[in-house]
Amino acid sequence: MSRAVLSLGSNLGDRFGHLRGAVEGFRDALVAASPVYETAPWGGVEQPDFLNAVLIVEDPAVDHRGWLRRGQELEQAAGRVREVRWGPRTLDVDVVTVDGVTSDDPELLLPHPGTPERATVLIPWLDVEPDAVLPGHGRVADLLAALPDGETATVRPRPDLVLR
């Protein structure tokens, strides 16, 4: 069984529609979808706020590269253009971790780099997996607790937007 944690983000166009499209694209493997959060952009590029969520997916026939390909296909279907690193995007699907697999391949670094410092991933992940562990880094709850207050303050719940 291949189980993956995927982080979704969108800050261009129909942000919620793009997230819903990703959930539909993973529907056959979907175990859980987190609540949606509105978050300040990360990475230093001036841009609109994001909508973010986390999905837990499982499929015995999909390995870590398969999850990456599926995410990239959904990004393309949403019209994703990669012009500026950490820039605005219609849809971003990041593979956070897959069954504890580690990879230093530049195409798919696992666990996803930066995850321990990103409240935009940690908070929704804990919503769907309260005992989550990020391989090589420890309990997600401990990683979140170690972040500066300013990091968590920019992650605002959007209870009016439900993915499942």
Side-chain angles (χ1 to χ4, degrees), residues 54-143:
V54 163
L55 304 181
I56 307 293
V57 291
E58 281 184 356
D59 188 322
V62 181
D63 66 4
H64 57 293
R65 294 192 185 285
W67 293 120
L68 175 66
R69 281 190 299 277
R70 284 184 69 172
Q72 289 173 336
E73 289 168 3
L74 292 167
E75 289 175 347
Q76 289 175 353
R80 166 98 187 246
V81 177
R82 296 175 187 267
E83 292 178 346
V84 178
R85 184 176 181 156
W86 296 315
R89 58 208 85 151
T90 55
L91 180 63
D92 187 32
V93 179
D94 287 334
V95 180
V96 176
T97 185
V98 179
D99 288 332
V101 172
T102 58
S103 170
D104 59 0
D105 180 336
E107 184 183 22
L108 181 58
L109 298 169
L110 289 174
H112 191 280
T115 298
E117 296 86 31
R118 292 188 185 154
T120 59
V121 176
L122 301 176
I123 291 172
W125 187 1
L126 284 173
D127 284 332
V128 291
E129 200 169 46
D131 296 325
V133 173
L134 181 63
H137 298 277
R139 290 174 15 104
V140 171
D142 294 339
L143 296 172

